[in-house]
């Protein structure tokens, strides 16, 4: 046979990747056709050995799209060969529709260099190791974002809510995620939650040294449980550093849609979004995540919660809760809910105030002496405004009541160093080092349970550098700290995981139904922000206060119903860590 192919050039230099491995293999499907396979630090190139002109039958797989590679023995005992399979998830054009989405491609080769099965297996393992290591080194690069990696092998505790979304999270897990985790050699333990707050209790009590990451497969509600469970622990400061991961299995998959968007990928939904987030999880890059503390001042017990996504009142909060009954349609429940609520559009009265981000930045450069040192408390509930006589306390578990005193007004997160080492060089070393190698937290977060240095008690007027909104009639108030409000609504297109900002939106009463509908339609592409709608206001803030006038109503935090009443919130930059890219 006249075989034509690109000769392997083992001495590429000057910016072109050198070939690290070269081999000629057949596949599982056919031993008749041979392939020339070469590996560089960036690509795996597969070329069919044929008489056709060279280059025609060449396919190049970027290791950036690879989640792993495994070597294995054949099922057939008489076969002396061994195999290696590399698993890629490149963006490919969708069948029968426009746009691209990550789609799985397996490249499996049979190694049969000689008649010794052991030597063949060793050769297959050498390829699998080289491809896996190469793919681990090929990371996505985004300007201004610095990553660390989860441990390899990474042990994952995966929490799954079987009732989330259309009730298919478990079958989506077995249909997609299980295989991806196997391909990426990620050992995991699956816990299917049995009731609401099961995951919250579990992570509150768990021995976190057993896990390198906590991954939830559900909507945003289950992650809200996990974040708050971690913050309720005695060792909250270390616990909240555990890398978190999210796989969309719910109907409100806003954080999953946000991390997909931050990765620079075209919008996708449903199972394509799951594959995309599964891919990011397998790549295992960890970045910082802002959390916002939310203080609910309502009787009988004031509460303090931590939120990673949103705080909503008015139209959006009502749709969140009312659309529960359309859960069977999955993510489309918000579209249905929006249309229903539009038909009965109403006005919500209350008082809104916020600390603009620029004002907070200016204040943080002042040399004010802190007025609110950390106090001693082991719960995440806000102590009463009248019971805060504490001077400085060195208690690692104390926190400064936001409702009681005002601190240096330092911008939270401002001193966080955005570079950190891969603290997981080895499993055991990582656990010992976890505390030491962590980047320094901002001073305000280092003492107490993330004290709210920007807030004053709800029964006191907001500080003078806050903006008090003159209007008191609203259609909605929405505070976002991620880009997406749902899979297909980009409410805060400029938001990032760790910008230390709350993107506050409010819509003033007087907007027509048609204009409001147009805004929601524009939100699919994030275009509402530039729509010059006089009723829509967008402000980048660090803290806010909302005091609804009505006795009854709905407020949601991360899509979850919380106690109704006056509420204030402050962003804590980079408090948690998230697997994303
Ligand atoms: P969805 O996006 O579909 O609403 P979520 O993850 O937000 O999915 O979960 C919805 C609600 O279900 C949340 O309030 C969460 O706390 C709660 N939950 C979690 N596990 C369970 C369970 N096993 N049974 C019932 N509710 C649960
Ligand atoms: Mg943000």
């Amino acid at each position: 046979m006249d075989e034509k192919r690109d000769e392997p050039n083992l001495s590429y230099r000057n910016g072109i990747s050198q070939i690290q491995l070269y081999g000629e293999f057949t596949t599982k499907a056919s031993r008749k056709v041979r392939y020339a396979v070469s590996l560089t630090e960036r690509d795996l190139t597969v070329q069919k050995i044929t008489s056709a002109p060279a280059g025609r039958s060449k396919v190049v797989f970027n290791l950036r799209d690879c989640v792993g590679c495994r070597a294995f023995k054949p099922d057939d005992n008489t076969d002396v060969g061994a195999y290696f399979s590399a698993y890629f998830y490149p963006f490919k054009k969708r069948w029968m529709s426009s746009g691209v989405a990550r789609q799985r491609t397996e490249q499996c080769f049979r190694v049969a260099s000689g008649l010794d099965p052991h030597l063949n297996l060793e050769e297959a393992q050498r390829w699998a190791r080289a491809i896996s290591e190469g793919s681990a080194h090929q990371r996505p690069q985004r300007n201004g974002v610095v990553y660390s990696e989860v441990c390899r092998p990474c042990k994952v505790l995966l929490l799954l809510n079987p009732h989330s979304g259309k009730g298919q999270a478990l079958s989506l897990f077995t249909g997609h995620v299980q295989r991806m985790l196997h391909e990426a050699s990620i050992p995991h333990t699956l816990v299917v939650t049995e009731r609401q707050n099961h995951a919250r209790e579990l992570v509150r009590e768990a021995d976190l040294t057993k896990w390198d990451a906590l991954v939830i497969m559900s909507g945003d509600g289950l992650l809200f449980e996990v974040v708050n469970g971690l913050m309720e622990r005695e060792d909250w400061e270390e616990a909240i550093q555990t890398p978190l991961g999210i796989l969309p299995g719910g109907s409100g998959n806003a954080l999953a849609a946000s991390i997909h968007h931050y990765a620079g990928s075209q919008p996708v939904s449903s199972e394509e979004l799951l594959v995309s987030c599964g891919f990011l999880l397998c790549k295992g890059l960890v970045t910082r995540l802002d959390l916002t503390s939310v203080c609910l001042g309502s009787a009988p017990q004031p509460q303090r919660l931590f939120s990673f996504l949103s705080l909503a009142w008015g139209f959006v909060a009502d749709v969140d809760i009312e659309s529960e009954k359309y859960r069977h349609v999955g993510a489309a429940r918000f579209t249905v809910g929006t249309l229903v609520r539009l038909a009965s559009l109403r006005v919500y009265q209350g008082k809104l105030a916020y600390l603009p981000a620029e004002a907070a930045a200016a204040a943080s450069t002042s040399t004010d002496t802190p007025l609110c040192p950390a106090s001693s408390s082991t719960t995440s509930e806000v102590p009463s405004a009248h019971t805060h006589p504490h001077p400085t306390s060195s208690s690692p578990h104390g926190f400064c009541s936001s409702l009681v005193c005002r601190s240096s007004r330092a911008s939270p997160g401002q001193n966080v160093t955005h570079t950190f080492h891969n603290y997981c060089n080895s499993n055991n070393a990582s656990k010992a080092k976890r505390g030491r190698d962590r980047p320094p937290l901002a001073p305000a977060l280092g003492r107490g349970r993330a004290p709210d240095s920007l807030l004053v008690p709800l029964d006191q007027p907001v500080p003078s550098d806050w903006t008090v909104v003159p209007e008191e009639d609203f259609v909605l108030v929405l505070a976002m700290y991620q880009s997406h409000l749902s899979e297909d609504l980009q409410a805060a297109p400029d938001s990032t995981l760790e910008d230390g900002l709350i993107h506050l939106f409010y819509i003033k009463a007087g907007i027509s139904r048609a204009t409001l509908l147009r805004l929601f339609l524009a939100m699919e592409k994030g275009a509402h922000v530039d729509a010059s709608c006089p009723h829509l206001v967008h402000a980048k803030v660090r803290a806010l206060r909302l005091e609804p006038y009505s006795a009854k109503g709905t407020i949601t935090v991360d899509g979850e119903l919380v106690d109704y009443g006056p509420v204030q919130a402050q962003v804590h930059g980079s408090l948690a860590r998230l697997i994303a890219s």
Side-chain angles (χ1 to χ4, degrees), residues 151-189:
C151 298
R152 299 268 171 195
C154 164
K155 286 192 267 65
V156 164
L157 175 62
L158 205 145
L159 298 152
L160 181 146
N161 172 4
H163 304 297
S164 61
K166 294 189 230 175
Q168 294 170 341
L170 194 53
S171 61
L172 288 169
F173 173 79
T174 49
H176 294 277
V177 180
Q178 212 165 23
R179 180 170 69 182
M180 293 181 96
L181 293 174
H182 178 70
E183 291 167 353
S185 305
I186 297 178
H188 61 278
T189 298

Side-chain angles (χ1 to χ4, degrees), residues 522-535:
M523 208 184 277
E524 279 184 25
K525 294 197 163 61
H528 59 295
V529 183
D530 302 321
S532 309
C533 170
H535 290 94

Side-chain angles (χ1 to χ4, degrees), residues 262 290 481-482 495-501 503:
Y262 301 145
D290 295 341
Y481 357 110
Q482 304 304 336
S495 178
T496 64
L497 287 168
E498 49 167 341
D499 54 10
L501 292 173
H503 294 254

Side-chain angles (χ1 to χ4, degrees), residues 160-167 192-199 216-225 249-253 324 327 333-334 558-561:
L160 181 146
N161 172 4
H163 304 297
S164 61
K166 294 189 230 175
V192 177
T193 61
E194 289 162 16
R195 59 185 184 284
Q196 188 167 40
N197 285 326
H198 182 183
I216 73 105
M217 177 143 181
S218 186
D220 300 301
L222 197 64
L223 186 60
F224 177 75
E225 285 190 24
S251 46
N253 301 314
E324 271 290 327
R327 170 169 289 281
R333 79 170 158 111
F334 300 106
D558 299 350
E560 297 294 297
L561 188 64

Side-chain angles (χ1 to χ4, degrees), residues 120-353:
N120 289 334
L121 185 61
E122 273 177 23
E123 179 65 359
Q125 284 166 340
R126 191 163 77 99
W127 273 85
R129 232 178 359 256
I131 293 171
S132 295
E133 283 168 11
S135 69
H137 285 120
Q138 288 301 310
R139 317 164 165 192
Q141 303 271 313
R142 273 195 303 129
N143 284 347
V145 181
V146 179
Y147 305 103
S148 65
E149 278 175 57
V150 288
C151 298
R152 299 268 171 195
C154 164
K155 286 192 267 65
V156 164
L157 175 62
L158 205 145
L159 298 152
L160 181 146
N161 172 4
H163 304 297
S164 61
K166 294 189 230 175
Q168 294 170 341
L170 194 53
S171 61
L172 288 169
F173 173 79
T174 49
H176 294 277
V177 180
Q178 212 165 23
R179 180 170 69 182
M180 293 181 96
L181 293 174
H182 178 70
E183 291 167 353
S185 305
I186 297 178
H188 61 278
T189 298
L190 175 69
V191 173
V192 177
T193 61
E194 289 162 16
R195 59 185 184 284
Q196 188 167 40
N197 285 326
H198 182 183
R200 187 175 185 152
E201 290 155 19
L202 206 139
V203 300
R204 197 160 54 206
E205 306 302 331
D207 173 4
L208 294 177
T209 61
K210 280 165 62 182
W211 311 110
D212 301 309
L214 299 176
V215 174
I216 73 105
M217 177 143 181
S218 186
D220 300 301
L222 197 64
L223 186 60
F224 177 75
E225 285 190 24
V226 167
V227 164
N228 283 284
L230 292 174
M231 289 303 290
E232 284 158 8
R233 291 169 64 104
E234 291 285 302
D235 64 347
W236 65 273
E237 210 169 349
E238 185 163 357
I240 198 65
Q241 295 288 305
T242 311
L244 303 172
I246 187 142
L247 295 170
S251 46
N253 301 314
L255 184 64
S258 298
I259 65 171
H260 172 84
H261 170 71
Y262 301 145
S265 313
Q266 287 182 18
V268 293
S269 59
S270 314
E271 291 179 40
E272 288 176 345
L273 182 61
L274 178 59
V275 170
S276 172
C277 292
F279 173 82
L280 294 175
L281 174 65
C282 291
K283 288 305 256 186
L285 297 177
V286 181
T287 181
R288 296 289 193 157
L289 172 68
D290 295 341
L291 294 182
T292 293
S293 65
V294 177
C295 300
L296 303 162
S298 56
Q301 184 90 55
Q303 265 191 308
R304 189 159 178 257
L305 299 166
F306 285 85
S307 159
F308 59 88
L309 180 69
S310 64
L311 167 69
W313 173 64
F315 192 95
V316 170
D318 286 359
V319 169
D320 243 339
I321 300 307
E322 290 164 5
S323 67
E324 271 290 327
K325 53 180 174 283
Y326 313 118
R327 170 169 289 281
H328 57 279
V329 299
R333 79 170 158 111
F334 300 106
T335 312
V336 180
T338 299
L339 294 174
V340 170
R341 194 52 14 228
L342 262 178
S344 52
L345 189 61
R346 51 167 289 219
V347 169
Y348 306 80
Q349 291 183 314
K351 202 169 181 163
L352 178 65

